[in-house]
Amino acid sequence: MPIPGSGLAKGLAVTLRTMTKRSHTAQYPEAQPELPPRSRGVIGLFEENCTVCMLCARECPDWCIYIDSHKETVPAAAPGGRERSRNVLDRFAIDFSLCMYCGICIEVCPFDALFWSPEFEYAETDIHELTHERDKLREWMWTVPAPPALDPAAEEPKEIAAARKAVEKAEAAAATQAAAAPAAAAPATDASPGTAPGTAPEPGTDPAPGTGTATDPGAAGSGTPDTPAGGPA
């Protein structure tokens, strides 16, 4: 059976131990806090991925996302094709005075156009300045940290692997072309002055002087009389 008042005694003991310790206060803003990489500070917009599907605006509980767009006709990509229409983003704004930082808009975006940034220093003296337009939201994208790898031993993403293979292939082709260029530019050498000794000339050609090639004095049809080894008589 617990002793009456033991809980109060334990609580007072914790209070006394805390009172004897020196407090550690971070002097903000001189000392910036160390936030987790995925802190919910502000939302950044990657405009190139936005298809104006309006899904983020429809799912927002506070209705703090404002999107305007128009349609443009895209000409046919090939002869005989048909024209297509696409949505063009005119305005994308988020009112952070209404935002509850639930992250639903980021989760439901099917094209990864919205990201969390750990930046939180965007307080304003005027509440109207808390409505960030598309240009301001684009600036927050530069503060979005890279996502950590799910597994250190995981395979390389296909996009990065394909880009690396393309770069390696281009470098190999450039090296092959650079190696073949000097060989094609080298002039052709004349083999007749530097013919190796003992090499027989081609039929119908006179031997080059000084090559040491001897002819058969007794060859048929040569017109040269047989000469004794000791020379002419």
Side-chain angles (χ1 to χ4, degrees):
M1 182 177 180
I3 301 176
S6 60
L8 177 61
K10 291 180 180 179
L12 292 176
V14 173
T15 303
L16 291 175
R17 287 197 302 269
T18 305
M19 291 176 60
T20 57
K21 293 181 180 180
R22 186 176 180 179
S23 61
H24 298 276
T25 303
Q27 300 298 327
Y28 177 84
E30 288 78 9
Q32 293 291 329
E34 295 182 1
L35 300 176
R38 287 297 169 185
S39 298
R40 297 186 178 186
V42 70
I43 299 175
L45 170 66
F46 190 58
E47 185 177 339
E48 287 76 4
N49 286 357
C50 182
T51 60
V52 201
C53 65
M54 306 292 292
L55 191 58
C56 57
R58 291 197 300 265
E59 297 295 332
C60 178
D62 294 332
W63 293 86
C64 63
I65 301 178
Y66 313 110
I67 301 176
D68 292 331
S69 65
H70 70 277
K71 289 186 177 293
E72 286 186 357
T73 302
V74 180
R82 63 184 182 88
E83 296 181 345
R84 298 179 180 272
S85 62
R86 67 182 181 93
N87 294 324
V88 179
L89 184 66
D90 293 330
R91 185 194 183 199
F92 195 109
I94 299 178
D95 188 356
F96 286 102
S97 65
L98 298 177
C99 180
M100 59 185 294
Y101 300 91
C102 63
I104 293 179
C105 58
I106 298 176
E107 294 178 2
V108 300
C109 180
F111 301 103
D112 291 335
L114 298 173
F115 297 88
W116 278 118
S117 168
E119 297 294 327
F120 62 93
E121 297 176 323
Y122 52 93
E124 301 289 348
T125 57
D126 188 357
I127 193 173
H128 298 289
E129 299 296 331
L130 288 176
T131 301
H132 294 186
E133 298 292 337
R134 55 192 283 189
D135 295 336
K136 185 66 174 179
L137 295 175
R138 179 60 182 265
E139 293 178 3
W140 291 123
M141 274 301 302
W142 303 111
T143 62
V144 175
L150 298 179
D151 187 356
E155 295 182 359
E156 189 177 34
K158 295 182 179 179
E159 295 81 0
I160 299 178
R164 178 174 289 106
K165 290 181 179 179
V167 171
E168 292 176 354
K169 185 177 181 180
E171 292 178 352
T176 304
Q177 185 177 4
T189 56
D190 187 5
S192 56
T195 305
T199 303
E202 297 181 0
T205 59
D206 295 334
T211 58
T213 304
T215 57
D216 187 3
S222 62
T224 304
D226 294 338
T227 308

